[in-house]
């Protein structure tokens, strides 16, 4: 069994069989993470570069750990300590790194389309670790894995993405992936944060958090992205929290069976109360653990196609 594409650029257009293969393979690696020795020799001899042009905690560490767990050689690149600061172009940087014989490139960049561009200038397998407002496919996959782990299925589930959907690559990857797997996807937020015309994709739109809570099995709560100008789309963070914040009081009034996801980093007291962020309804740290297994699966499936 192998994937139908040698790159993972997004979840848009990825066939159900490929998504299922990644999720099934991740389950195997999730078991490896519970062993006393959490390492397999699967990618021994392969070299992977983590090319991060934008800040990250979870994704960068998770990819690096996944590569080490698979016994690959790992190189970490960050702009702040590189010759990008001396004016070297993106293309020259990539070509120089590739000349050192790397097999796979994991890339995060503030511009949408950079992973696609990399496939034109590099022979390596390319994995998108988040490109601008476009997609964050491994986050979408780990969210799907975590929902399935908690509820035992994706098909037929009602999943609502809450918050700054317009600025969210996580939202888009969730929408594409979950719809392919047969879930019913909706979004909730102020109209300034919901992309115009999203209903045409078969997505229900809520403007009241109480209704979203009442009618869904899962809320995937997205961060208000202040670094991407989200602050201009709402009167204040306090007002956002008053109308859309997910609180224990709201959960207990409207849906005690709800499962809460958040990709991190969390704005505590804005999209989620601290009580919810640390409480019994959320699976936030499970998402982080599962992220390592999902990234191991993607690296393994792409890395073994390359040889
Ligand atoms: N969820 C996520 O992408 O987090 P980081 O920005 O810390 O990688």
């Amino acid at each position: 069994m192998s994937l139908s594409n040698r790159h993972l650029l997004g979840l848009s257009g990825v066939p159900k069989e490929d998504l299922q293969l990644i999720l099934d393979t991740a389950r195997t690696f999730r078991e490896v993470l519970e062993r006393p020795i959490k390492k397999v020799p699967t990618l021994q001899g392969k070299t992977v570069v983590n090319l991060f042009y934008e800040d990250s905690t979870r994704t960068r560490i998770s990819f690096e750990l996944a590569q080490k767990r698979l016994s690959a050689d790992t190189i970490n690149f960050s702009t702040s300590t590189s010759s990008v600061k001396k004016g070297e172009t993106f293309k020259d940087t990539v070509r120089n790194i590739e000349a050192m014989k790397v097999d796979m490139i994991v890339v995060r960049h503030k511009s949408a389309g950079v992973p696609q561009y990399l496939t034109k200038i590099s022979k390596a397998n390319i994995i998108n670790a988040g490109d601008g407002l476009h997609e964050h496919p491994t986050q979408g996959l780990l969210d799907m894995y975590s929902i399935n782990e908690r509820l035992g299925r994706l098909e037929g589930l009602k999943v609502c993405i809450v918050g700054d959907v317009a600025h969210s690559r996580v939202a888009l990857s969730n929408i594409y992936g979950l719809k392919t797997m047969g879930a019913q996807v909706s979004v909730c937020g102020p109209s300034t944060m919901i992309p115009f015309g999203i209903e045409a994709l078969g997505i229900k739109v809520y403007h009241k958090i109480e209704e979203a809570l009442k009618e869904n099995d899962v809320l995937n709560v997205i961060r208000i992205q202040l670094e991407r100008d989200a602050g201009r789309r709402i009167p204040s963070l306090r007002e956002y929290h008053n109308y859309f914040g997910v609180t224990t009081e709201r959960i207990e009034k409207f849906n005690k069976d709800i499962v809460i996801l958040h990709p991190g980093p969390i704005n505590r007291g804005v999209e989620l109360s601290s009580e919810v962020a640390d409480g019994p309804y959320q699976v936030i740290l499970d998402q982080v653990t599962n992220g390592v297994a999902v990234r191991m699966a993607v690296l393994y499936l792409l890395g073994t196609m390359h040889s």
Side-chain angles (χ1 to χ4, degrees):
M1 295 270 277
S2 65
L3 296 175
S4 56
N5 194 319
R6 59 183 290 271
H7 308 293
L8 181 67
L9 306 180
L11 298 188
S12 171
V14 176
K16 186 172 183 177
E17 297 70 32
D18 283 15
L19 296 179
Q20 194 63 58
L21 177 60
I22 295 169
L23 297 176
D24 290 345
T25 308
R27 200 166 302 118
T28 310
F29 287 126
R30 185 69 186 76
E31 285 164 24
V32 171
L33 298 180
E34 297 301 326
R35 294 180 192 164
I37 297 173
K38 304 169 181 58
K39 198 160 176 139
V40 288
T42 323
L43 289 188
Q44 213 160 39
K46 296 279 183 190
T47 305
V48 190
V49 60
N50 298 312
L51 198 63
F52 276 66
Y53 274 73
E54 201 187 59
D55 295 343
S56 168
T57 297
R58 277 147 292 269
T59 312
R60 190 178 56 76
I61 293 174
S62 179
F63 265 114
E64 184 180 349
L65 200 52
Q67 290 148 15
K68 288 181 167 153
R69 300 286 190 230
L70 293 169
S71 305
D73 295 315
T74 299
I75 305 160
N76 289 310
F77 168 95
S78 79
T79 45
S80 59
T81 53
S82 75
S83 291
V84 170
K85 293 195 97 174
K86 300 174 195 163
E88 189 164 34
T89 66
F90 180 74
K91 187 173 181 179
D92 281 338
T93 302
V94 170
R95 287 168 71 95
N96 276 272
I97 290 172
E98 196 175 30
M100 299 181 215
K101 305 292 179 198
V102 303
D103 300 295
M104 307 176 82
I105 299 176
V106 176
V107 62
R108 171 170 285 196
H109 203 284
K110 66 179 186 318
S111 300
V114 164
Q116 175 76 35
Y117 172 65
L118 268 179
T119 65
K120 312 282 181 224
I121 61 169
S122 166
K123 292 190 181 67
N125 303 95
I126 308 300
I127 302 173
N128 180 2
D131 63 327
L133 305 186
H134 177 224
E135 281 221 44
H136 191 350
T138 56
Q139 181 70 47
L141 286 161
L142 76 88
D143 290 347
M144 288 194 284
Y145 184 98
S146 303
I147 294 169
N148 187 56
E149 182 180 61
R150 178 58 78 103
L151 296 176
R153 67 192 168 103
L154 293 172
E155 175 106 40
L157 278 183
K158 292 184 177 173
V159 181
C160 183
I161 301 164
V162 180
D164 190 6
V165 178
H167 283 106
S168 178
R169 55 197 178 204
V170 174
L172 261 190
S173 289
N174 266 266
I175 288 169
Y176 291 132
L178 283 164
K179 281 179 71 71
T180 303
M181 297 307 288
Q184 287 180 48
V185 186
S186 57
V187 295
C188 175
S191 50
T192 48
M193 289 184 161
I194 302 296
F196 181 74
I198 196 167
E199 295 92 335
L201 297 176
I203 309 284
K204 180 170 178 173
V205 177
Y206 297 94
H207 293 299
K208 287 193 175 7
I209 190 66
E210 295 81 2
E211 287 175 9
L213 268 167
K214 237 189 286 184
E215 294 180 15
N216 286 280
D217 303 299
V218 177
L219 295 191
N220 195 348
V221 183
I222 304 295
R223 186 170 60 94
I224 301 300
Q225 300 198 34
L226 296 168
E227 78 280 15
R228 296 194 208 273
D229 236 14
R232 289 195 187 177
R233 297 180 183 228
I234 47 176
S236 70
L237 295 179
R238 183 185 296 189
E239 182 145 328
Y240 180 85
H241 182 72
N242 286 344
Y243 280 92
F244 291 98
V246 179
T247 61
T248 305
E249 192 186 15
R250 279 182 168 141
I251 290 174
E252 296 193 341
K253 187 163 177 198
F254 294 104
N255 187 352
K256 286 186 180 174
D257 295 324
I258 199 87
V259 176
I260 305 287
L261 281 80
H262 192 300
I266 302 168
N267 294 309
R268 285 176 180 260
V270 181
E271 62 263 5
L272 286 183
S273 68
S274 260
E275 204 181 4
V276 173
D278 301 322
Y281 301 102
Q282 56 79 30
V283 294
I284 296 168
L285 293 181
D286 295 333
Q287 288 172 263
V288 176
T289 308
N290 294 336
V292 178
V294 163
R295 289 174 176 122
M296 286 172 80
V298 170
L299 288 159
Y300 162 72
L301 290 165
L302 296 180
T304 48
M305 275 174 94
H306 185 74
S307 51

